[in-house]
Amino acid sequence: MEPVRFTFLNGSDIEQLELSDAEVLDAVEQGLRAQGRGETVIEPRVHLMPDPAFNGHFNVLRGYVAPLGLAGVKIVGDYVDNYKAGLPSEMALLNLFDPRTGMPVAILDATAITEMRTGAVTALGARHLARPDAKVLGHIGARATSYWNVRLLDRIFDLTEIRVHSRRPESRKAFAERLERDLGKPVVVTEDWRSCVEGADIVVEASRLERPEPLLKTEWITPGALVVPYGTMSAVELSLTDVMDKIVVDDWGQCRSGPFGALRAHVESGRLSEATLHAELCEIIVGDKPGRERADETTLFWHRGLSLSDIALGAAILAKAEERGLGQKLRFS
């Protein structure tokens, strides 16, 4: 019997691939299309909380994408205080398997994958739910996924005003400088939530709160805006869903249960239910349900994060790495 081997791609390998914005968006959209066609299996994410004193937990995401011929499991740590040790708050590994035999195909450093696919889902949601002429972005949060939110939103909308705010002045300043350097346009650093959010066409809330706190006020949301809240702990008021014409999620099965999420209280109070939900994003992408239909529609897109997006982007990265001869072949048996 020939030795069984699988591919290992580390962070440096993935960085060398220099994925373009289009490659990231196309890969993630492929996973969403498969979901919309019923060609996927999504297992609700589960959490491991080792010790409350560590101020963090692990998310375990599991799924299967039939058109790609891959099943996958991603384990990602979510540790709020990691910046104090000079570490990313989210670090991850993606395990890809042959669904026919269970044999391992690849293990990838999924830290960058998590960042890119999160930004891609934000941007793809905005493509269908924001006004086509949206030009002003208000972005709360400066974590790694935030960069890809802004970068890919700018790719689609060519924004004329980008505002950013985060809890720590040094983080928001560094975030703005990176965006200005990479996007080639000015970024406004705001000192508070209101001046960041009020009047924006697209509002993204990616804060890092230790406990739920309604810092984003519903009254600041402009009619016709798109709001994308996805913080682990809720930063919005219960009234936020009351002003929405359409509420869209990435996967209702994940959104309706679990201890975390920006709209957890809205689900538990009945404000968000199958009756009030307009669609999953995948239904809009495949044309089964409409996205934005009027300029004055106020919309909300809540994404919890899909294993399918990790698998789809991981598959695209694996294919490009094989073309470039990157990665290590490790012996399994």
Side-chain angles (χ1 to χ4, degrees):
M1 179 179 174
E2 289 292 317
V4 175
R5 301 181 187 278
F6 63 90
T7 301
F8 174 64
L9 292 176
N10 61 33
S12 177
D13 296 328
I14 293 170
E15 187 176 355
Q16 289 180 66
L17 294 176
E18 297 181 320
L19 289 177
S20 68
D21 295 349
E23 286 175 313
V24 174
L25 289 166
D26 290 348
V28 173
E29 187 172 40
Q30 184 179 5
L32 289 167
R33 287 192 179 280
Q35 181 191 11
R37 294 192 297 258
E39 298 171 334
T40 63
V41 175
I42 307 171
E43 292 288 333
R45 66 171 60 200
V46 294
H47 308 281
L48 171 64
M49 303 182 71
D51 189 318
F54 301 156
N55 202 16
H57 64 278
F58 293 96
N59 300 308
V60 183
L61 292 76
R62 304 158 293 165
Y64 164 58
V65 184
L68 297 176
L70 290 170
V73 179
K74 185 181 80 171
I75 303 174
V76 53
D78 190 350
Y79 282 76
V80 176
D81 295 329
N82 271 9
Y83 71 92
K84 297 175 183 177
L87 295 171
S89 60
E90 295 169 294
M91 291 180 283
L93 284 176
L94 173 64
N95 301 267
L96 297 176
F97 300 90
D98 183 335
R100 299 165 186 79
T101 64
M103 292 301 297
V105 172
I107 296 177
L108 296 81
D109 178 338
T111 304
I113 290 173
T114 301
E115 297 165 6
M116 290 185 284
R117 66 83 153 139
T118 302
V121 174
T122 297
L124 291 167
R127 177 185 283 169
H128 293 276
L129 295 169
R131 292 198 322 271
D133 62 349
K135 291 298 179 184
V136 180
L137 169 66
H139 194 291
I140 301 291
R143 54 170 143 167
T145 57
S146 298
Y147 170 81
W148 284 93
N149 285 335
V150 179
R151 173 171 165 168
L152 295 178
L153 284 168
D154 186 60
R155 166 82 178 194
I156 291 173
F157 294 94
D158 189 18
L159 301 163
T160 59
E161 184 176 345
I162 299 171
R163 311 172 192 159
V164 299
H165 177 74
S166 68
R167 178 168 52 94
R168 293 182 293 118
E170 65 273 19
S171 72
R172 57 185 183 252
K173 181 176 182 291
F175 182 42
E177 290 173 350
R178 181 185 181 192
L179 289 171
E180 287 185 336
R181 181 177 65 250
D182 291 357
L183 301 182
K185 58 180 62 177
V187 175
V188 178
V189 179
T190 72
E191 300 301 314
D192 56 64
W193 285 59
R194 182 171 187 166
S195 57
C196 183
V197 167
E198 199 167 39
D201 301 318
I202 301 172
V203 175
V204 180
E205 182 278 303
S207 60
R208 304 285 298 165
L209 303 182
E210 294 188 15
R211 62 191 63 83
E213 185 178 358
L215 296 172
L216 194 158
K217 305 301 181 184
T218 303
E219 65 185 35
W220 300 339
I221 303 303
T222 301
L226 165 66
V227 181
V228 185
Y230 72 84
T232 301
M233 297 295 177
S234 178
V236 303
E237 296 183 303
L238 278 174
S239 59
L240 181 64
T241 51
D242 298 340
V243 304
M244 295 299 162
D245 294 298
K246 284 190 173 87
I247 302 175
V248 175
V249 300
D250 55 355
D251 175 59
W252 177 239
Q254 288 196 123
C255 289
R256 69 186 175 193
S257 62
F260 301 117
L263 299 188
R264 181 61 50 225
H266 300 74
V267 173
E268 292 173 354
S269 66
R271 284 173 172 81
L272 176 56
S273 65
E274 288 186 70
T276 62
L277 181 69
H278 170 66
E280 294 178 328
L281 178 59
C282 65
E283 296 177 293
I284 296 173
I285 284 178
V286 299
D288 289 343
K289 291 189 177 179
R292 175 176 287 270
E293 296 175 278
R294 306 186 320 272
D296 63 348
E297 276 186 339
T298 309
T299 56
L300 185 148
F301 175 44
W302 178 31
H303 58 95
R304 295 283 291 123
L306 290 173
S307 59
L308 312 179
S309 301
D310 295 306
I311 295 166
L313 185 53
I317 287 171
L318 186 61
K320 190 170 185 179
E322 288 175 350
E323 291 175 4
R324 299 281 183 87
L326 291 172
Q328 303 171 56
K329 293 292 184 180
L330 303 181
R331 182 165 178 166
F332 179 69
S333 66

